[in-house]
């Protein structure tokens, strides 16, 4: 067996061991299987959030975009570099508090309970399931291409092998397996991409050498408007390119669920720091490698294979195998999260909510596992039948999910007036706008990016719908207030003070309790 094969088998074995290790703990309760028992610390939260968000797009779609349009592609990277900071800062603490106060175990269930409408759950589930599976197919295609390059097997066989591993450890270990494999994969991803980026950077003589070579081929590669000035003056397209990854993560169910699974609100600060550092090392390199590919791989037939071809061009076989393992890490870390979230929605938001309301925890976990398995098999079949562009499919699914859920999630924790009608208008309006804008290629006519168009319609829908819809109930308003308040002292802490100190401490504790109750209670 070749060294490439040994490295890949070792890598797969590690992932399977992690999945099986967490299988027993994940089976203890529905919350453990779907949310990891809300136990994730800063490092794992940051890494699983980032690797889930990055996907195979970063290793295939991003370089292909740069290979096609030149420096214009980095507009996407600029937004992406700050995406995690915005996501955690805006939603992190408040969504963590509110999801627990509402008793929600999935992002779609969270929306139903916050907006008090079964219709929100039905519409949200349909949109999420359809486009999560579209996103899954993009990851499966990337996995098949990467494995075919690594092993030499046909695309179809490579696809089946790679995805089977993802399905096994996700079905067995649930959310904890997904989170901790993502942690390992995040380390491999940044190590691999920085390694090839460092070597390729000096191979072309740094940024100045890169720009000189690009200018000799076609000076418009250096333009912020893209090769042949394809997007000249289209600031609506540029702004959309920045925003889709800059704020779009706040609308992805498989990403925002990371807020719900954090150990506590204190996890947010550490997660922001770790993810921000990781981003700066990782985000820009795949795009720059796409630019380098224009110079070193001028006859490349498939631009999505830029990084894999550069790996074998610049590295010995052993290091190339390590890098391709990083590609597989990017794919797997997103695909498993997508499957996990799709399974969660099908089991929790469809089966338990509308089919079997009295389902036991054991039954709910079993249904979730079966849904993950079924979704994986369907995804494989679709990816084998017709593999489209990874970039096009990933951005389309990403944009539609973001336009559907970004505004409702943000409004849920920042607006008292946001209600069910506003949420429905935002979801449906945002999704339909992105679909129509993309399918009818309105970007070329209007010079407005589909994501920006969908975001605008979604925001307008939330504002108008919330103005005319039924106001949130008092219990929801109370929970809203509690989720925005900082925690002062827990009841146990107050009791220990009263028990241990002088009698005056009891009066202080009583006074604090009265004051905080007057301001809608203490979150604990």
């Amino acid at each position: 067996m070749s060294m490439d094969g040994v490295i890949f088998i070792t890598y797969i074995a590690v992932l399977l061991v992690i999945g099986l290790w967490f299988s027993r703990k994940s089976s203890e309760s529905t919350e453990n299987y779907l949310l990891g028992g809300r136990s994730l610390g800063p490092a794992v939260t940051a890494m699983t959030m980032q690797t889930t968000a990055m996907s195979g797009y970063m290793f295939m779609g991003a370089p292909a975009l740069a290979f096609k349009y030149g420096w214009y592609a980095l507009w996407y990277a600029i937004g992406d570099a700050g995406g995690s900071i915005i996501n955690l800062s805006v939603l992190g603490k408040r969504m963590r508090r509110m999801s627990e106060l509402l008793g929600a175990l999935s992002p779609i269930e969270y929306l139903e309970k916050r907006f008090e409408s079964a219709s929100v759950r039905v519409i949200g589930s349909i949109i999420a399931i359809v486009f999560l599976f579209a996103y899954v197919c993009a990851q499966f295609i990337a996995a098949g291409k990467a494995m075919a390059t690594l092993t030499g097997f046909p695309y179809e066989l490579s696809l089946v092998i790679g995805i089977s591993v993802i399905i096994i450890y996700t079905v067995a270990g649930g959310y904890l397996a997904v989170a901790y494999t993502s942690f390992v994969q995040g380390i491999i991803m940044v190590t691999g991409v920085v390694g090839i980026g460092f070597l390729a950077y000096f191979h072309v003589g740094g940024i100045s050498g890169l720009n000189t070579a690009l200018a000799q081929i076609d000076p418009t590669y250096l333009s912020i408007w893209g090769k042949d000035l394809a997007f000249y003056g289209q600031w609506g397209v540029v702004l959309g390119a920045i925003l889709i990854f800059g704020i779009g993560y706040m609308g992805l169910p498989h990403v925002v669920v990371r807020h719900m699974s954090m150990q506590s609100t204190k996890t947010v600060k550490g997660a922001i720091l770790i993810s921000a550092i990781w981003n700066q090392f990782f985000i820009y390199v795949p795009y720059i490698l796409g630019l380098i590919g224009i110079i070193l791989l001028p006859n490349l037939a498939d631009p999505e294979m830029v990084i894999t071809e550069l790996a074998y061009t610049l590295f010995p076989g052993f290091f190339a195998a390590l890098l391709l393992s990083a590609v597989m890490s990017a794919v797997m870390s997103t695909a498993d999260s997508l499957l996990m979230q799709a399974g969660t929605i099908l089991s929790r938001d469809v089966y338990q909510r509308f089919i079997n309301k009295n389902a036991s925890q054991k039954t709910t976990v079993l249904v979730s596992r079966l849904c993950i398995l079924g979704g994986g098999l369907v995804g494989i079949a679709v990816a084998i039948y017709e593999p489209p562009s990874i970039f096009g499919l990933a951005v389309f699914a990403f944009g539609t999910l973001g336009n559907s859920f970004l505004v409702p999630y943000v409004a849920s924790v920042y607006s008292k007036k946001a209600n069910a009608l506003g949420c429905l208008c935002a979801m449906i309006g945002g999704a339909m706008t992105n679909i129509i804008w993309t399918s009818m290629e309105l970007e070329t006519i209007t010079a407005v990016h589909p994501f920006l168009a969908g975001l605008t319609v979604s925001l307008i829908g939330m504002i108008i719908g919330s103005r005319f819809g039924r106001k949130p109930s008092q219990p929801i308003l109370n929970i809203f207030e509690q989720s925005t308040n900082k925690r002062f002292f827990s009841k146990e802490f107050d009791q220990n003070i009263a028990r241990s100190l002088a009698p005056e401490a009891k009066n202080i504790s009583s006074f604090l309790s009265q004051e905080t109750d007057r301001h809608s209670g203490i979150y604990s």
Side-chain angles (χ1 to χ4, degrees), residues 3-21:
M3 182 60 69
D4 292 7
V6 172
I7 292 173
F8 186 68
I9 290 175
T10 303
Y11 171 63
I12 285 179
V14 170
L15 298 182
L16 290 175
V17 168
I18 292 174
L20 295 174
W21 175 267

Side-chain angles (χ1 to χ4, degrees), residues 168-223:
I168 291 170
Y169 74 70
T170 304
V171 168
Y175 189 87
L176 285 173
V178 169
Y180 280 90
T181 53
S182 294
F183 179 81
V184 174
Q185 289 161 336
I187 295 172
I188 295 173
M189 284 167 63
V190 75
T191 302
V193 80
V194 168
I196 187 173
F198 185 81
L199 184 60
Y201 179 80
F202 288 102
H203 194 82
V204 296
I207 294 296
S208 59
L210 171 62
N211 285 337
T212 299
L214 288 174
Q216 292 175 350
I217 299 172
D218 188 334
T220 60
Y221 275 128
L222 306 180
S223 171

Side-chain angles (χ1 to χ4, degrees), residues 296-319:
L296 300 183
L297 305 170
N299 300 317
L300 183 65
D302 184 357
E304 291 182 343
M305 301 305 290
V306 167
I307 287 185
T308 54
E309 291 296 329
L310 284 176
Y312 281 112
T313 301
L314 301 176
F315 281 97
F318 174 81
F319 293 103

Side-chain angles (χ1 to χ4, degrees), residues 216-485:
Q216 292 175 350
I217 299 172
D218 188 334
T220 60
Y221 275 128
L222 306 180
S223 171
I224 63 170
W225 306 114
K227 185 177 182 293
D228 298 326
L229 304 181
F231 303 100
Y232 182 74
Q234 298 181 24
W235 285 108
V237 174
V238 170
L239 182 59
I242 296 173
L243 290 178
I244 189 170
F245 294 142
I247 63 174
Y249 293 127
M250 293 188 291
L252 303 187
H254 60 289
V255 175
V256 299
V257 72
R258 270 60 188 170
H259 302 307
M260 300 168 63
S261 66
M262 291 187 294
Q263 191 173 43
S264 71
T265 56
K266 294 180 180 179
T267 303
V268 172
K269 288 184 180 179
I272 289 175
L273 178 62
I274 294 169
S275 63
I277 294 172
W278 190 90
N279 270 5
Q280 306 320 308
F281 276 102
F282 180 80
I283 295 296
Y284 294 97
V285 180
Y287 291 94
I288 294 176
L289 288 174
L291 299 175
I292 293 173
I294 297 172
I295 300 167
L296 300 183
L297 305 170
N299 300 317
L300 183 65
D302 184 357
E304 291 182 343
M305 301 305 290
V306 167
I307 287 185
T308 54
E309 291 296 329
L310 284 176
Y312 281 112
T313 301
L314 301 176
F315 281 97
F318 174 81
F319 293 103
L322 285 177
L323 177 63
L324 291 181
S325 293
V327 177
M328 287 300 297
S329 294
V331 174
M332 288 181 163
S333 61
T334 300
D336 56 20
S337 296
L338 291 166
L339 286 175
M340 185 71 222
Q341 200 52 49
T344 297
I345 293 169
L346 286 169
S347 63
R348 180 78 175 176
D349 299 313
V350 177
Y351 175 78
Q352 190 174 16
R353 178 64 175 85
F354 298 107
I355 299 174
N356 185 3
K357 293 185 178 181
N358 298 318
S360 65
Q361 294 192 27
K362 185 176 181 180
T363 300
T364 303
V365 171
L366 175 61
V367 171
S368 183
R369 283 176 163 153
L370 292 175
C371 289
I372 292 169
L373 176 61
L377 295 176
V378 171
I380 289 175
V382 173
I384 289 176
Y385 178 70
E386 187 177 358
S389 161
I390 295 172
F391 172 79
L393 186 56
V395 171
F396 174 61
F398 187 113
T400 305
L401 288 170
N403 285 154
S404 301
F405 299 114
L406 187 158
V407 171
Y409 283 134
V410 174
S412 73
V413 294
Y414 284 97
S415 174
K416 289 183 181 180
K417 296 180 180 179
N419 58 30
L421 181 59
C423 180
L424 288 170
C425 290
M427 288 194 301
I428 296 172
M432 292 304 299
T433 301
N434 193 289
I435 293 169
I436 293 171
W437 221 266
T438 302
S439 60
M440 297 183 66
E441 298 183 349
L442 295 181
E443 178 181 314
T444 58
I445 300 172
T446 63
V448 175
H449 195 283
F451 182 80
L452 181 58
L455 179 64
T456 303
V457 172
S458 182
L459 182 59
I460 294 172
M462 175 61 77
I463 294 172
I464 295 176
S466 296
R467 182 177 178 85
F468 294 101
R470 179 171 55 88
K471 294 180 179 180
S473 66
Q474 191 58 46
I476 291 297
L477 293 177
N478 291 340
I479 288 175
F480 181 91
E481 288 294 335
Q482 291 180 59
S483 71
T484 61
N485 290 339

